[in-house]
Amino acid sequence: MPVISVPQAFNEEDLYVDLAPMCGHRLFLKCEGFNFAGSIKLKAATEMVESAERSGTMKRDSILVESSSGNLGVALSMIAASKGYRFVCVTDSRCNLTTRLMMEALGSQVHVVSDEGAAGGLLGARLAYVRALCASDDRHIWLSQYTNPDNWKAHYFRTAPAIARWFPQLDVLFVGVGTTGTLMGCARWFRAWHRPVRIVAVDSVGSAIFGDPPGRRMIPGLGMSVRPPLLDEEYVDEAVRVQETDTIRTCRSLARRGFLFGGSTGTVVSGAMSWLSRHGGRGLTPVAIAPDLGERYLDTVYQTNWVQGVYGDDALEPQAPPGHGVSAS
């Protein structure tokens, strides 16, 4: 069974799972889901909102608006509720029902777009709706996680230094990519560190982040249908792409060992295991960032009928050996 490392004074920044019993070699999983928002997105949400307040962009009557596939929307819902702001989350039909209900329970307004034929696909439809909202009422403040440098600064100042404290001999860091905020913040920080760290980005097949044509993606979280404006590939050593069926198999395999992680985490772990299998993990100190937990995926990734309906029975087969279904560049 994977080994959990918990400090005496609990801090979610310092919670790791050693997946060596599952992988056959060391892989330390940094668990980011143990905060009030349940995902790593709380860091970016906090940094973007507080920066907007410091600059005077946010006023007392401001209405936060953001495009999100789910986790950032939950984080902003919590922050908006605690600070007394209204918040409109613009999401799409792939957003999990549990996530939408959570945002609404926190007092946010959730608008779901479903026009896959719009320019730029569902993301393009979401952004078009956000721009229309902002044009209709200047109280709307769009934080724009896709272009906001405070997105990556949150991880430059918090996530990367936290990893370095625990792993002073870190060799390789696996980071899932969407807006690439986590990736760019960590990559920039480790570029100036005392030893070289290989930065491996983990993406979903069907994502266009690294130049592939966009395709169908049904699991929210990682991937984008366009190249993220925050991405600077000069800081990235390698990218691996994971099939969504392998994401599902990895999530379910982790759950059978007592760890209920989300779809983004399943993708990162699958990509990391594949990379380590191909490159040889023995002697390395590898860390993978687990962005989320699995309770928001109970009606998708962990729901047998949903998996069968979307991917067929093959997705429910036992997990393939590391490396199967993963491409690299």
Side-chain angles (χ1 to χ4, degrees):
M1 180 177 179
V3 179
I4 306 175
S5 176
V6 185
Q8 288 183 340
F10 177 75
N11 179 350
E12 68 267 11
E13 280 283 23
D14 299 320
L15 180 59
Y16 293 84
V17 174
D18 183 359
L19 296 179
M22 177 179 172
C23 303
H25 42 69
R26 292 193 302 176
L27 175 60
F28 298 100
L29 192 60
K30 187 179 191 308
C31 303
E32 289 282 352
F34 293 95
N35 56 55
F36 285 113
S39 82
I40 195 171
K41 289 293 189 177
L42 182 61
K43 293 178 180 178
T46 301
E47 190 71 25
M48 290 190 295
V49 170
E50 292 184 350
S51 178
E53 289 176 328
R54 289 192 298 269
S55 69
T57 302
M58 292 289 297
K59 307 292 194 303
R60 296 187 65 177
D61 64 342
S62 292
I63 304 170
L64 281 171
V65 59
E66 186 56 270
S67 161
S68 170
S69 62
N71 283 333
L72 182 71
V74 172
L76 286 172
S77 293
M78 297 192 72
I79 293 171
S82 68
K83 291 177 173 287
Y85 297 122
R86 291 168 57 191
F87 171 53
V88 180
C89 180
V90 182
T91 188
D92 59 57
S93 50
R94 294 173 301 180
C95 181
N96 298 322
L97 175 61
T98 302
T99 301
R100 299 203 302 266
L101 294 175
M102 191 176 297
M103 288 188 280
E104 291 171 349
L106 290 163
S108 299
Q109 178 185 342
V110 181
H111 179 83
V112 181
V113 302
S114 57
D115 185 7
E116 297 188 28
L122 288 171
L123 176 60
R126 278 159 43 183
L127 297 182
Y129 188 86
V130 168
R131 294 188 182 100
L133 271 182
C134 294
S136 68
D137 187 339
D138 60 10
R139 291 178 300 167
H140 288 100
I141 302 298
W142 181 18
L143 296 174
S144 186
Q145 62 165 324
Y146 310 104
T147 60
N148 193 329
D150 292 310
N151 183 346
W152 66 260
K153 287 178 182 178
H155 305 287
Y156 183 92
F157 291 117
R158 290 190 57 187
T159 308
I163 293 170
R165 285 196 302 271
W166 268 77
F167 299 98
Q169 299 303 312
L170 178 67
D171 292 303
V172 56
L173 180 65
F174 299 96
V175 189
V177 290
T179 65
T180 68
T182 307
L183 174 70
M184 296 315 303
C186 290
R188 284 188 167 96
W189 195 92
F190 280 112
R191 176 62 63 89
W193 204 35
H194 72 93
R195 61 179 280 126
V197 174
R198 190 164 188 83
I199 302 296
V200 179
V202 183
D203 199 5
S204 298
V205 170
S207 167
I209 289 176
F210 293 101
D212 296 322
R216 188 185 78 154
R217 291 178 294 111
M218 298 302 294
I219 300 175
L222 300 187
M224 283 185 65
S225 58
V226 297
R227 178 186 171 89
L230 294 179
L231 176 63
D232 184 344
E233 290 191 56
E234 191 269 332
Y235 289 93
V236 182
D237 295 299
E238 191 172 347
V240 298
R241 294 142 173 102
V242 177
Q243 296 279 358
E244 289 192 330
T245 50
D246 287 315
T247 292
I248 291 167
R249 293 186 186 111
T250 301
C251 284
R252 287 172 165 249
S253 180
L254 286 165
R256 287 193 295 270
R257 289 163 172 81
F259 296 97
L260 193 72
F261 284 111
S264 297
T265 297
T267 302
V268 173
V269 171
S270 180
M273 289 195 303
S274 170
W275 190 95
L276 291 168
S277 177
R278 288 183 285 108
H279 291 79
R282 297 192 182 280
L284 294 178
T285 299
V287 172
I289 298 177
D292 55 357
L293 299 180
E295 73 280 354
R296 297 172 196 173
Y297 297 81
L298 292 176
D299 57 352
T300 54
V301 169
Y302 295 102
Q303 217 288 326
T304 298
N305 290 339
W306 184 87
V307 173
Q308 288 175 318
V310 175
Y311 303 99
D313 292 337
D314 289 348
L316 298 173
E317 293 180 357
Q319 187 175 20
H324 176 76
V326 183
S327 60
S329 67

